[in-house]
Amino acid sequence: MIRDRGIGSKLWRAAVWGVAILFVLNLLGVISAVVTNSFATRWLGTWLPVDWTTRWYFSAWREFQLTEVLLVTFQIVFLVTLLSGLIGITTAYALARRDFPGKRFAILLFLLPLLVPPLTYGIPLATLLYQVGLGGSFWGVVIINLVPSIPFVVLVMIPFIEQIDPRIEAAARVFGAGTTSLFTRILLPLLLPGMLAALLLVLVRTIAMFELTFLVAGPTSQTLVVSLYYAVFASGVRASQSIDAMAVVYMITTLFWLVLALRFVNPTQIVARAKQSQPAH
């Protein structure tokens, strides 16, 4: 019996590793094909192109106006990250430090944008934004991206705030610390790792957010991922190498910020801190 369980465990482990390796190889294959094609001149039924060139990147930069697209993308991402931080951290502090009837229900209601598909609330919200004149505008894109970003900051920051002993803040108040001094000298150093983690992850999420941005983006308010979609599916004939070059620019942009975010946050850190903050029974 024990031997059979050992064999079953090994087979299960081998199957899991096999699926994981197959997934990684498939992902690497897709990425390699896109990157290779972005440098290819032409293909003649071979595994590799006949020759290599970088002209597709210059062509994509001019054809898709990537300078303007990247500028708009970074402006939207910066504003969404900044406003999400200001509103989300303040809200998380209030929820972590205050007890009131229906608090759990309020938190669940507040986090609904993270629990339901974006299109569920995205389409009605986009309709409302168009009705008030914000559809197709820069601020319309910012507002619709704030809906999932603020709850995400709240979800990440609550465990970080709860692990700070309230007696530290009370002692600072006793010694005459005001609200500004309390935040800048006491809370900010303690919360900085969590704040960096939350804001960098919001930044990556906003760059990669397609559904909500697509619903309200106009010709002058498209982020990079929406522009890539239009480059692929818009009418007209475009060289596949040029589109792949644009896709590589998008991948590099997202990957840069994702790697930066992972330098500040351990994927298991939030769960571990949340468990530590729970009272012992």
Side-chain angles (χ1 to χ4, degrees):
M1 181 71 68
I2 297 176
R3 185 176 180 181
D4 292 341
R5 289 181 180 178
I7 295 174
S9 176
K10 290 180 180 179
L11 290 175
W12 174 253
R13 191 180 300 113
V16 171
W17 274 105
V19 171
I21 292 172
L22 182 63
F23 172 79
V24 172
L25 290 177
N26 182 65
L27 181 63
L28 290 177
V30 172
I31 295 175
S32 299
V34 172
V35 173
T36 301
N37 194 46
S38 69
F39 289 100
T41 53
R42 65 182 186 274
W43 300 76
L44 296 176
T46 57
W47 283 96
L48 294 175
V50 175
D51 201 1
W52 306 88
T53 182
T54 59
R55 68 185 179 91
W56 299 114
Y57 285 87
F58 297 100
S59 174
W61 205 275
R62 293 190 303 269
E63 181 180 359
F64 304 120
Q65 301 177 341
L66 289 186
T67 300
E68 292 79 5
V69 171
L70 286 173
L71 181 60
V72 170
T73 299
F74 290 138
Q75 288 175 342
I76 291 173
V77 168
F78 173 77
L79 281 173
V80 170
T81 304
L82 177 63
L83 294 175
S84 297
L86 292 175
I87 301 172
I89 294 172
T90 304
T91 305
Y93 183 84
L95 291 173
R97 287 290 187 258
R98 298 288 184 269
D99 288 322
F100 53 88
K103 176 180 176 180
R104 291 182 180 273
F105 178 76
I107 293 177
L108 177 62
L109 187 65
F110 195 80
L111 298 181
L112 274 180
L114 300 178
L115 304 176
V116 299
L119 289 180
T120 303
Y121 59 87
I123 294 176
L125 180 57
T127 302
L128 177 62
L129 290 174
Y130 277 101
Q131 289 176 349
V132 300
L134 291 175
S137 67
F138 177 89
W139 285 105
V141 176
V142 172
I143 292 172
I144 203 169
N145 276 281
L146 285 175
V147 175
S149 297
I150 293 175
F152 183 81
V153 174
V154 173
L155 180 65
V156 173
M157 288 305 301
I158 285 179
F160 283 93
I161 296 171
E162 287 180 340
Q163 72 174 344
I164 299 175
D165 193 338
R167 291 175 294 184
I168 297 176
E169 302 173 43
R173 294 282 191 185
V174 169
F175 286 100
T179 302
T180 303
S181 179
L182 176 64
F183 177 77
T184 56
R185 297 187 179 184
I186 305 297
L187 293 178
L188 183 59
L190 296 174
L191 293 177
L192 190 58
M195 292 170 60
L196 289 174
L199 296 182
L200 283 171
L201 290 174
V202 165
L203 186 149
V204 174
R205 283 171 56 90
T206 306
I207 292 177
M209 177 59 70
F210 169 75
E211 299 97 326
L212 298 180
T213 304
F214 174 77
L215 291 174
V216 297
T220 60
S221 58
Q222 295 177 8
T223 58
L224 187 56
V225 64
V226 175
S227 297
L228 178 59
Y229 172 84
Y230 280 119
V232 175
F233 294 103
S235 60
V237 178
R238 294 174 176 82
S240 62
Q241 294 94 326
S242 182
I243 295 175
D244 285 343
M246 186 179 180
V248 171
V249 172
Y250 169 71
M251 285 191 295
I252 292 175
T253 303
T254 307
L255 185 63
F256 170 79
W257 290 109
L258 180 60
V259 171
L260 183 62
L262 291 177
R263 289 183 62 88
F264 288 94
V265 59
N266 187 331
T268 62
Q269 185 179 33
I270 299 172
V271 176
R273 296 197 178 204
K275 289 182 177 180
Q276 292 173 4
S277 66
Q278 291 178 359
H281 296 286

